[in-house]
Amino acid sequence: MSDDADPGPELSVDEFIDYCRTQVGLLSGSVETMRTEADDLMDEIDEELATLRSRLETQSDDVEGTTAPPSTDRPIEAGSDVDVATLEELEAEIERKQLLVEAKQTRMHAFQELAAGYTDLLEDLQSIDDGREALEQIVQFEADHDAPVYFEDRQTVLEAAVGSDASADE
């Protein structure tokens, strides 16, 4: 590209600052959605734990004692109505939901860190006057933080810049 080429549209630092604010808002909204989902899962876990405890208490009340030593195959007397398979399924479901909550918490933390990064970036952008420099800083930031993976339904400045470079090469 030569110096005689069209420099392209005028780039405004204020527009890039607004873009960063928008990204922070979108990330914060995603965190709130994930927090609600995690809270719902925690409520389900609490309910399932209560159900599990209730079943165990009910079943232990039904068992008055064993007449023979417990077997390793069936720890509770054959006449009892303990459904070990159901209890194991319930326990496995609780563990699965706990893993989902942990994954959501990890993801929320990553989104919060990226939002904090955009906040720092927009503060840095307020001290510059050149729109091209602002663009370069945003592109570098988004590349360094792999920002596009956080925005599945929207294009980042990095993706737009890469897309425009690819179409200019064609």
Side-chain angles (χ1 to χ4, degrees):
M1 191 167 157
S2 70
D3 292 336
D4 299 336
D6 179 21
E10 182 68 28
L11 301 175
S12 164
V13 174
D14 289 337
E15 289 175 355
F16 288 119
I17 290 171
D18 287 342
Y19 168 80
C20 289
R21 283 189 184 116
T22 299
Q23 298 299 77
V24 169
L26 292 170
L27 290 164
S28 296
S30 294
V31 168
E32 286 306 311
T33 299
M34 286 183 271
R35 182 173 289 122
T36 299
E37 292 168 352
D39 289 346
D40 291 346
L41 280 170
M42 292 297 290
D43 290 343
E44 289 176 25
I45 290 169
D46 289 343
E47 289 172 15
E48 289 174 2
L49 282 172
T51 300
L52 183 61
R53 279 189 207 101
S54 174
R55 285 186 181 179
L56 288 172
E57 288 171 3
T58 301
Q59 291 170 357
S60 67
D61 290 343
D62 292 343
V63 177
E64 294 179 17
T66 58
T67 55
S71 136
T72 56
D73 293 333
R74 186 146 178 93
I76 297 179
E77 186 175 308
S80 104
D81 60 352
V82 173
D83 185 355
V84 175
T86 300
L87 295 176
E88 287 174 346
E89 287 174 17
L90 190 55
E91 180 183 15
E93 182 64 15
I94 291 169
E95 289 174 2
R96 184 188 71 77
K97 287 182 180 178
Q98 287 172 329
L99 290 173
L100 283 173
V101 169
E102 289 174 20
K104 283 193 182 293
Q105 290 171 335
T106 299
R107 194 164 185 241
M108 286 168 40
H109 180 71
F111 274 63
Q112 289 168 329
E113 284 185 359
L114 185 61
Y118 272 109
T119 299
D120 293 342
L121 178 60
L122 78 86
E123 290 172 5
D124 291 345
L125 294 178
Q126 291 174 347
S127 66
I128 63 173
D129 296 326
D130 182 18
R132 293 242 176 251
E133 183 181 343
L135 172 65
E136 290 171 9
Q137 285 189 22
I138 290 176
V139 167
Q140 187 62 51
F141 171 82
E142 290 184 344
D144 291 347
H145 293 87
D146 204 15
V149 300
Y150 293 83
F151 302 98
E152 296 172 0
D153 59 346
R154 111 181 232 123
Q155 186 179 42
T156 62
V157 168
L158 171 63
E159 292 169 314
V162 168
S164 69
D165 285 348
S167 64
D169 291 341
E170 293 175 359

